[in-house]
Amino acid sequence: MAQQRHAIPPPLKTEEDYIPYPSVHEVLGREGPFPLILLPQFGGYWIEGTNHQLSGAPDSPPTPVPGARAKLEGNHTAKIYRKHFLGKEHFNYYSLDPALGHLVFSLKYDEQEQLHLLLRTRARTLHDVVPISCLAEFPNVVQMAKLVCEDVNVDRFYPVLYPKASRLILAFDEHVLSNHFKFGVIYQKLGQTSEEELFGTTEESPAFAEFLDVLGQRVQLRDFKGFRGGLDVTHGQTGSESVYCHFRDKEIMFHVSTKLPYTEGDAQQLQRKRHIGNDIVAIVFQDENTPFVPDMIASNFLHAFVVVQLEQGGAQGTFYKVSVTARDDVPFFGPPLPDPAVFRKGPEFQEFLLTKLINAEYACYRAEKFAKLEERTRAALLETLHEELQARSQAMLGLSPDDERPDNGGTAPGFFESFKSLLVPGSRRGRRGSAIGLGSVEEALLVPGKSPSRRRPGPLGSRRSSAIGIESIQEAPAGRDGPAAADGSSSTHSSPESRRNPDRAEKPEPPDFSRSSSSASSFGSAAEEPGEPGRESRSPSGSHRDAFTDTPWPDEPPGTPPGRRPPDSPCPEIKIQLEQPPQNPGS
């Protein structure tokens, strides 16, 4: 039992129980030499290049191999469209995925019988090269997109028909590329351990001035024509001089703390911090051995620091120790530091340092804060590109951007849109719907209790409508006894039709819906229309007949066949005969 009691593990430590990293003041109280960089007390950063002890002779520190150029990192996918598609025969498509969002797809079939596929989503751009020999059959566009991304879930892609679409697509792909960079340069003197002390330095030591010459050339800001990096080149409000460099077709402007304006009485030196604090990567130059802590400078943008410390080599020349630190969510970036991380002053050191700075900024873009910002920006730009390609392609087909046609990527019109189109005069649907259109609905609404009249096409349609129109219907209650008279008249007038059509006389009459509510009668007449466009229906004998004809009118042209009502229709034409003057009182 005693052994079991001793085997019980100790309780878990809380955050307060963890021992923080020593502060910079504790480290300075010890005996040197001190490291170039100290981690903050509660971490959050990583460090590269902690060994600066030369194992061999001091006159032979490791340096980059002459002629070996360090590789510049960047978004190489953004250059694929310009390299493999632009100016060559290829095809562009667009679509909308319920999960992936807007899609823009480019494909090219080259002479080596390979498919170059480039798919843009709101999260990233995917590229692949697929030999045709690896496929059982030549795929369609949707299948090609699935070769690049299996998550694609669309029924079809729509072709881009705009001749200048390549310019729009190229601008979207290369919006992440930049040939302009700005980096901060902070001068840290011996014993400086706070932000106020770092930004409060006004003089430059000879060693710091020599290091600035390694970075680039000094330029006068007034009327400067190159990349200014946010500095004032007109009124001199950001100083009169700065350091500028042109490196591998890229322009770099340095925000040097000692060359930015100094404000008396301002402990924070906001004129300096507003430039350096808004940079993403900064250089810290140390004259002597005083550690730098990344959280000395409060900034939401600064994510990486390259710390350079002077190492006097005597007769062998000037050497520099280098360490790099960045936030934990910043991935590692090259070129890697040698071991030990000591460089001799020269062009190789300049190329290594500038490459490290540029790669550091590219790596910082993948940190959580910048990655979310980039994703939102990319999604908005891709949506704009998608809408522009869709609108331009529809314009090439002679369609307006508001046309919601299913064959153009729109949705089919709903019931109410289709019904409203029946009531619009001047269109094909409006003309077909004129028989049950606006006039009939208005008549039904004006005279409750009456069925809407059906307008018949023909040369005398206007005169007939005047005989059975709104005026006549409104006069009907005054001239007859309302519904009772109508019933009598309808039964009286039904006998001639029975005599003409004996086969219909033996069939039971369908219920009379002419006295239902006006709105129900109006929609009921619409329901009695034949299936799809056409005003005619076919009788059982095979001959065509007008779907809206009833008994022939006295003034119809000779030879007009008498109309026949469908057997299953609810006889809404009874009121038409109500307004006809009787021909033979005895019949």
Side-chain angles (χ1 to χ4, degrees), residues 3-48:
Q3 293 180 354
Q4 291 181 0
R5 284 195 297 267
H6 288 296
I8 298 176
L12 296 177
K13 293 182 179 181
T14 61
E15 184 178 353
E16 291 78 9
D17 296 329
Y18 285 100
I19 301 176
Y21 292 105
S23 65
V24 63
H25 300 286
E26 295 177 6
V27 173
L28 289 176
R30 306 170 186 172
E31 185 178 356
F34 308 115
L36 276 65
I37 300 174
L38 286 179
L39 290 176
Q41 287 190 288
F42 294 98
Y45 286 79
W46 54 263
I47 298 178
E48 179 196 11

Side-chain angles (χ1 to χ4, degrees), residues 419 422-423 432-441 453-455 522 525-527 529 548:
F419 182 74
L422 297 176
L423 307 181
R432 184 168 64 93
S434 61
I436 59 169
L438 193 58
S440 300
V441 175
S453 61
R454 292 189 178 183
R455 297 184 181 180
S522 176
S525 62
E529 287 283 325
F548 303 108

Side-chain angles (χ1 to χ4, degrees), residues 116 119 144 154 160 187 191 211 290 339 351 406 409 428 438 479 580:
H116 289 260
L119 179 64
M144 292 181 189
V154 297
V160 177
Y187 177 37
F211 175 72
T290 300
D339 188 17
E351 181 170 343
R428 185 181 304 176
L438 193 58
Q580 182 179 4

Side-chain angles (χ1 to χ4, degrees), residues 107-179:
L107 66 90
K108 185 191 73 169
Y109 183 71
D110 61 13
E111 298 177 353
Q112 288 76 28
E113 295 188 350
Q114 294 178 335
L115 286 174
H116 289 260
L117 310 176
L118 195 63
L119 179 64
R120 303 162 187 85
T121 69
R122 63 188 175 193
R124 54 180 177 166
T125 299
L126 302 172
H127 173 248
D128 199 1
V129 180
V130 181
I132 295 297
S133 58
C134 298
L135 304 175
E137 58 183 6
F138 200 87
N140 57 37
V141 180
V142 176
Q143 293 171 341
M144 292 181 189
K146 289 182 178 291
L147 293 175
V148 186
C149 180
E150 297 180 354
D151 297 332
V152 172
N153 184 22
V154 297
D155 295 331
R156 62 173 294 185
F157 278 84
Y158 302 95
V160 177
L161 305 178
Y162 182 49
K164 298 181 180 180
S166 296
R167 300 182 184 179
L168 302 177
I169 297 175
L170 183 66
F172 170 80
D173 283 352
E174 296 186 351
H175 81 274
V176 296
L177 302 179
S178 176
N179 292 325

